[in-house]
Amino acid sequence: MISLADAERAAATLLEPAHYDFFAGGADDERTLRSNVDAFDRHRLLPRVLRGVGKRDLGVEVLGQPLSMPVMVAPTAFHRLAHPDGEVGTARAAAASGTVMILSMAATQPVEQVAATGVRLWFQMYVQPDRAFTERLVRRVEAAGCAALVVSVDSPVFGRRLRDLRHDFGDLPAGLACENMRESGTGPPRAVAFDAALDWSVVGWLRGITTLPIVLKGILHPDDARLAVGHGADAVIVSNHGGRQLDGAVASIDALPAVVEAVGGRLPVLLDGGVRRGTDVVTALALGAAAVAVGRPVLWGLTVAGEHGVRQVLELLRDDLDRAMVLCGADRVAALTRDVVHVGRCSW
Ligand SMILES: Cc1cc2nc3c(=O)[nH]c(=O)nc-3n(C[C@H](O)[C@H](O)[C@H](O)COP(=O)(O)O)c2cc1C
Ligand SMILES: O=C(O)C(=O)c1ccccc1
């Protein structure tokens, strides 16, 4: 495995087709899924030379937490479908790599077990129509030591994923469940619900029940970025859910500059979707992201070799990012400025 593409190819041979397609697929015609990667390919870098970059520091701080590199683990459902190590394996790898894991509400292991690995954990949730349940879940993830709540706001309904329909993939196989949707250790799990009635008041509601930082995941429009600031969010994640929700939504990297401008430095802007190379990370950081997150590549690493495979994926990205930075003449993340990114014709 010498690139993330290798990891995906290997995973494709190991997984049942229905499970591979669940991980790999997007909504409808998968235009946005493809765009996320293609849009990075439309960006080119204008490297600086002779910058004395003999020593590099890839570290960043996000929401007061130091990361060894600006690459986090995006929340993805059902890690035990990929490998028996499950979310605990992913967490151990993220911890060893010195980065944050965002744990999905649809995780197949309990948040307490994942937190026990010592990883720095943020918890992703879909605010449930049953607000009393949502509040109990917030208490639970606080008690487990999660450092932020990541609220996905791009899913008023579930996207229509043709690959899953063709495989008739809906439920987890026997023995696997969304462990954080249980009310007690032995009780049946609730189904993850999506709530199209959610509006901006949900941010104030959450603020009223928790002191954890609130991160809004799934912001693409600059006006929504301004609203996020106005409603007291602590960070936003520019994301189209890996092309799994609104097909036709803009690629994440194309949405980033306007969001960064709208936010105007008032809170950190993160990005996920289509990050596969160190140069993609460089592009996102240069356009103003504080860090990026990766979804599918982590699942491919987990499939191939459990915890060790995720570690390999994260270290491949770190090595790739270090090389991209040094070749761009940047010795630290702050040295990556807008002018190193070139889109379309050279205009200066
Ligand atoms: C299999 C899969 C499951 C996902 N599950 C969740 C989820 O439970 N909650 C969530 O907010 N986002 C979920 N996402 C979206 C990711 O957090 C992220 O936005 C996306 O995967 C990033 O794109 P990438 O896979 O190209 O890196 C999921 C994505 C995939 C591929
Ligand atoms: O969010 C997703 O993309 C996703 O696949 C999912 C699956 C099950 C429950 C919640 C989300």
Side-chain angles (χ1 to χ4, degrees), residues 84-160:
D85 285 359
E87 285 81 6
V88 165
T90 305
R92 289 202 177 108
S97 290
T99 193
V100 163
M101 172 179 181
I102 308 177
L103 183 68
S104 166
M105 182 181 211
T108 47
Q109 287 169 329
V111 59
E112 295 80 7
Q113 267 179 37
V114 181
T117 62
V119 74
R120 274 164 300 157
L121 210 55
W122 297 1
F123 190 83
Q124 175 270 327
M125 57 181 212
Y126 299 102
V127 171
Q128 300 292 285
D130 183 341
R131 293 293 178 93
F133 170 77
T134 305
E135 186 168 350
R136 288 194 294 279
L137 183 58
V138 169
R139 297 283 161 266
R140 181 175 170 187
V141 308
E142 284 172 344
C146 293
L149 274 185
V150 176
V151 182
S152 298
V153 293
D154 56 11
S155 305
V157 296
F158 203 59
R160 189 162 181 269

Side-chain angles (χ1 to χ4, degrees), residues 22-23 74-77 104 124 126 152 217 239 241-242 244 272-274 276 294-297 299:
F22 168 70
F23 290 147
T76 53
S104 166
Q124 175 270 327
Y126 299 102
S152 298
K217 175 173 182 282
S239 171
H241 213 108
R244 295 163 75 84
D272 72 31
R276 302 293 179 264
V294 283
R296 293 179 183 85
L299 292 168

